[in-house]
Amino acid sequence: ETKKEIKEVEIDYLPQHKISDVPILPTDEIKSRMVYPPLANKQGIEGIVYLELYIDQFGNIKKIEVLKDPGYGFAEAALKALEGIKVKPAMSNGVPVAVKFRYPIRFTLKK
């Protein structure tokens, strides 16, 4: 009986400037899943959350870092909206690649 060690393969994420085609996110799906933070809504506050998405070559979002959070629950709402979302992967010379991708999510109140 051999003991096999399962190692998580470290993915080499390319910086955004090294890819030829950016990943395509399903914006309509993301928008439909966005829940406006109640506190911000009540106070009439709008905001933009800046995220760094780690997207693998298959279009899976493996990790999300919040770069800028205006507070009021916006970052949590943005992360929840992206949960389980599948994207069209970034391309470099016609080949799907893993990438670190900056992505802003804007929360605006409907007038």
Side-chain angles (χ1 to χ4, degrees), residues 1-100:
E1 194 179 316
T2 59
K3 281 189 179 172
K4 285 186 180 162
E5 201 177 309
I6 299 169
K7 282 190 186 142
E8 193 148 324
V9 180
E10 190 63 38
I11 300 173
D12 196 14
Y13 292 96
L14 290 175
Q16 207 165 317
H17 68 271
K18 289 216 174 160
I19 57 174
S20 47
D21 297 308
V22 297
I24 298 167
L25 284 86
T27 39
D28 291 341
E29 187 183 343
I30 294 166
K31 281 181 184 164
S32 75
R33 297 173 70 176
M34 281 170 47
V35 176
Y36 212 95
L39 180 66
N41 198 2
K42 201 169 14 185
Q43 295 183 14
I45 296 167
E46 298 184 342
I48 302 173
V49 179
Y50 291 93
L51 303 171
E52 181 135 67
L53 309 179
Y54 290 77
I55 303 169
D56 71 10
Q57 68 272 33
F58 306 109
N60 301 307
I61 300 172
K62 292 297 201 178
K63 184 173 130 192
I64 303 174
E65 279 178 15
V66 177
L67 300 175
K68 189 170 173 220
D69 174 13
Y72 299 95
F74 284 119
E76 293 81 2
L79 293 172
K80 210 161 196 55
L82 285 170
E83 247 171 46
I85 290 279
K86 189 104 166 129
V87 308
K88 189 170 184 267
M91 303 291 259
S92 181
N93 303 320
V95 179
V97 291
V99 69
K100 280 196 286 192

